[in-house]
Amino acid sequence: MTAWVPSDALGCRILCGTEHATVRYVGSVPPTSGIWLGVEWDDPQRGKHDGTYEGTQYFKCRHPRGGSFIRPNKANFGVDFLTAVKDRYGLKDDDDVQHETENTLIFGKKTVEFVGMDSIAEQQSQLNRLVDISVRECAVSHAGQKEEISRTCANIRHINLSRNLISSWETVTAIASQIQNLETLNISENKMKFPSTPTPVSSVFSKLRILALNQTEIMWTEVLFCAPGWPALEELYLTSNNITVLERPDNVLQTLKLLDLSDNQLLDGNQLHLIAHLPRLEQLILRNTGISSIHFPDAGFGCKTKMFPSLKRLAINDNKISQWSSINELDKLPSLQSLQCHNNPFMDTEKNPETLRQLIIAKIGQLEVLNKSEILPAERKGAELDYRKIFGSDWLAAGGNWNPEKNKPSEEFLTAHPRYLSLCLKYGAPEEGELKGQQPLTLKNQLLKSMTIQRVKGLLYRLLKIPGSELKLSYESSKLEGKEVELDNDLKPLQFYSIENGDCVLVRW
């Protein structure tokens, strides 16, 4: 019996058991009889060759052992969208009802809760009640009958189509064109073809606000080709797509508030300049993008850049930034409030995490949240005063002076410490007495009620050089008649323990 093969099988995505693959060849393979499918596996370990058999190359693979020949009856070419919805939500005979527990949808690093699948399968009797739909891993490959979706699923607003068998952007458009109020679309983990020329503007995605295209092999140029059709898009997730170069978006993506380019190895930090003029971009996620430096050449010392005018939240974790100069540059961003920067080489220059945090706070004046931890006013003041003292001797050696007319530190010093002069204006220049035998921090100034126990231990480490793990803190209060209270929760602030001025903090090791 001959298995059915779609007329457009070339380039189709298929399932063979639980393995995903792309059809690269349909035809005979002499000396055997019958039709074969030449497939390139997503997992190259599943393959046997590069598309060459008995000296004849039938197709090409990216990996030298990423290909195989399989018979058509081993290939699952998938189902249409509506069939998958009915199967997933149990809208079939009672015997076929399947209970699903998956109820979350992930965009980049953000998790969005969806309506519980169990309750929907049991309660929904009509497809047109569905608003949030997840058909992740349901082997969806095509839209199905024309207008069938619009007739039966009129109220859909959010769709999770991730990890299916969609092979082209045309298929996505064919599905979306039947959904009038589509706001959220996740088509991640579908290896597909995207337009190679600008697409005609249509109203298909006119209300789309959130789009996830993670692991789809889309290139930035293809994003720009499709972008005219996304006039209201606010969040775009493009992680793990092998994007290396960017281009300036002209008259597209102007409504974008969030862009996630994580896990794409960008050519260099200058690529960021090409997306720096998106007027509404508030959040930029650049985890593991390979960037080693950040620079805004349009602005000098103490000035704000015209780039990224609305950027409030920036994530640059897991990169190769090795110089503090890149952190200095972030102070030029006019709207920056939150920064995540864990796992970069520059952080290895300071062993004490508390000191490291204070240096970053002092260098970026308007920062309110660092590595997901709020910067309270008292912490900022302490960090800036400390910074002013620590580098006071360097300031004097570089030409700094208490006399304003003679205060002309070298350009080298200002390059390394661009906020130093503004800190001197804010708090006054460090006095000579402060710089003699200075300690990085003094407990008298820093034991503030809002500080956590962990922060206090960090300060003590700097003064005593004893690791926080070996320190035991407690306090005595006159109100407690000599009773000693252990400060045993590192995450709690001092005020949690009702410490007041005049109380005595005891340090043991």
Side-chain angles (χ1 to χ4, degrees):
M1 179 175 144
T2 304
W4 173 78
V5 177
S7 58
D8 60 348
L10 273 181
C12 278
R13 299 281 292 156
I14 65 163
L15 268 174
C16 183
T18 59
E19 299 286 342
H20 287 73
T22 303
V23 178
R24 300 297 187 198
Y25 173 79
V26 180
S28 60
V29 182
T32 63
S33 59
I35 299 297
W36 290 90
L37 301 179
V39 301
E40 182 177 7
W41 301 101
D42 287 9
D43 178 8
Q45 302 300 319
R46 179 72 170 76
K48 296 180 178 179
H49 50 70
D50 64 352
T52 301
Y53 180 74
E54 298 285 338
T56 300
Q57 186 167 48
Y58 292 90
F59 61 97
K60 293 182 179 180
C61 287
R62 297 180 189 179
H63 192 277
R65 295 184 62 82
S68 296
F69 288 105
I70 64 171
R71 290 295 190 182
N73 62 357
K74 299 290 186 183
N76 176 2
F77 283 91
V79 298
D80 65 88
F81 176 78
L82 210 51
T83 296
V85 172
K86 291 177 180 178
D87 288 348
R88 169 54 65 94
Y89 293 101
L91 299 174
K92 298 163 63 177
D93 296 334
D94 289 343
D95 292 342
D96 294 330
V97 172
Q98 296 188 7
H99 298 278
E100 299 290 341
T101 57
E102 178 185 349
N103 64 354
T104 58
L105 170 56
I106 295 175
F107 295 109
K109 306 295 181 183
K110 180 186 290 186
T111 301
V112 179
E113 290 292 329
F114 266 56
V115 178
M117 306 302 178
D118 285 330
S119 59
I120 291 178
E122 293 166 14
Q123 298 171 14
Q124 297 296 58
S125 59
Q126 295 183 8
L127 285 166
N128 62 18
R129 292 186 190 175
L130 295 173
V131 175
D132 300 337
I133 282 182
S134 175
V135 285
R136 176 177 168 82
E137 288 191 286
C138 288
V140 177
S141 61
H142 56 287
Q145 298 275 335
K146 192 174 182 181
E147 304 305 324
E148 189 177 12
I149 299 172
S150 58
R151 283 198 306 269
T152 54
C153 297
N155 292 309
I156 296 177
R157 291 178 182 270
H158 313 283
I159 301 177
N160 182 355
L161 265 168
S162 60
R163 198 163 174 75
N164 278 288
L165 300 178
I166 297 170
S167 59
S168 73
W169 182 249
E170 289 179 6
T171 300
V172 177
T173 303
I175 294 172
S177 65
Q178 300 181 54
I179 302 170
Q180 288 190 347
N181 297 308
L182 186 62
E183 297 178 15
T184 303
L185 178 61
N186 183 357
I187 47 175
S188 301
E189 299 174 77
N190 286 285
K191 292 188 177 183
M192 65 177 87
K193 289 184 178 178
F194 291 89
S196 56
T197 57
T199 57
V201 177
S202 72
S203 60
V204 172
F205 300 102
S206 62
K207 297 182 180 179
L208 190 66
R209 295 186 302 105
I210 301 173
L211 177 60
L213 292 165
N214 305 322
Q215 298 180 54
T216 56
E217 300 190 345
I218 193 170
M219 294 289 100
W220 184 252
T221 51
E222 295 166 338
V223 170
L224 298 185
F225 288 150
C226 295
W230 310 330
L233 195 66
E234 295 180 3
E235 298 183 13
L236 179 58
Y237 299 86
L238 297 169
T239 69
S240 304
N241 279 311
N242 295 316
I243 294 171
T244 56
V245 293
L246 304 175
E247 292 179 31
R248 184 164 178 162
D250 290 323
N251 301 316
V252 293
L253 303 178
Q254 300 300 294
T255 56
L256 205 61
K257 293 182 179 180
L258 182 153
L259 177 61
D260 190 349
L261 288 166
S262 299
D263 301 311
N264 292 290
Q265 297 304 299
L266 299 178
L267 188 62
D268 53 46
N270 291 333
Q271 296 300 311
L272 302 183
H273 298 168
L274 299 169
I275 57 170
H277 299 283
L278 293 170
R280 299 183 187 177
L281 189 66
E282 296 180 1
Q283 185 169 359
L284 181 60
I285 307 171
L286 299 169
R287 296 185 184 92
N288 187 32
T289 50
I291 56 175
S292 58
S293 64
I294 296 174
H295 183 44
F296 303 114
D298 66 321
F301 301 132
C303 299
K304 297 299 182 183
T305 177
K306 292 181 180 179
M307 300 184 186
F308 297 107
S310 302
L311 190 65
K312 295 179 181 179
R313 296 178 292 281
L314 176 64
I316 50 173
N317 319 39
D318 306 309
N319 279 296
K320 301 174 182 178
I321 298 171
S322 58
Q323 301 297 321
W324 279 96
S325 57
S326 290
I327 302 303
N328 292 337
E329 288 291 306
L330 296 180
D331 187 55
K332 296 179 181 179
L333 290 169
S335 304
L336 188 65
Q337 297 174 357
S338 174
L339 174 67
Q340 293 181 46
C341 58
H342 280 308
N343 299 328
N344 278 285
F346 82 87
M347 301 185 75
D348 297 335
T349 61
E350 174 55 59
K351 292 182 180 180
N352 185 355
E354 183 64 32
T355 304
L356 187 69
R357 177 179 171 86
Q358 292 201 318
L359 286 173
I360 297 171
I361 291 171
K363 284 178 174 289
I364 307 176
Q366 71 278 20
L367 208 60
E368 297 176 3
V369 179
L370 176 57
N371 292 324
K372 299 184 179 181
S373 178
E374 184 182 1
I375 302 167
L376 297 173
E379 183 182 16
R380 170 162 293 286
K381 183 177 180 180
E384 291 178 343
L385 285 170
D386 187 37
Y387 188 92
R388 169 180 149 277
K389 284 189 284 186
I390 288 174
F391 297 102
S393 297
D394 293 346
W395 167 68
L396 289 173
N401 197 289
W402 287 282
N403 184 340
E405 294 180 2
K406 298 180 180 180
N407 183 22
K408 296 179 181 179
S410 67
E411 186 169 332
E412 183 181 2
F413 178 84
L414 291 176
T415 300
H417 308 283
R419 288 200 72 222
Y420 197 86
L421 293 184
S422 67
L423 293 179
C424 288
L425 288 172
K426 185 176 181 179
Y427 300 108
E431 297 178 8
E432 190 172 2
E434 290 183 90
L435 303 182
K436 288 183 178 179
Q438 64 181 19
Q439 289 288 345
L441 289 168
T442 62
L443 282 178
K444 183 178 178 181
N445 291 332
Q446 293 298 317
L447 277 179
L448 302 165
K449 290 184 178 181
S450 60
M451 294 185 68
T452 64
I453 304 303
Q454 186 175 30
R455 296 264 169 83
V456 174
K457 288 182 177 179
L459 297 174
L460 289 167
Y461 169 81
R462 297 181 62 187
L463 291 170
L464 306 172
K465 302 305 177 187
I466 296 171
S469 59
E470 298 179 16
L471 295 174
K472 291 186 178 181
L473 303 186
S474 59
Y475 83 96
E476 292 180 346
S477 171
S478 57
K479 292 183 178 181
L480 297 174
E481 299 179 357
K483 182 181 178 183
E484 190 174 319
V485 178
E486 189 175 354
L487 306 177
D488 55 358
N489 190 330
D490 283 0
L491 300 180
K492 295 293 184 182
L494 287 172
Q495 60 193 11
F496 173 80
Y497 294 96
S498 303
I499 292 180
E500 299 179 351
N501 289 339
D503 289 349
C504 179
V505 176
L506 306 174
V507 183
R508 294 184 176 88
W509 62 91

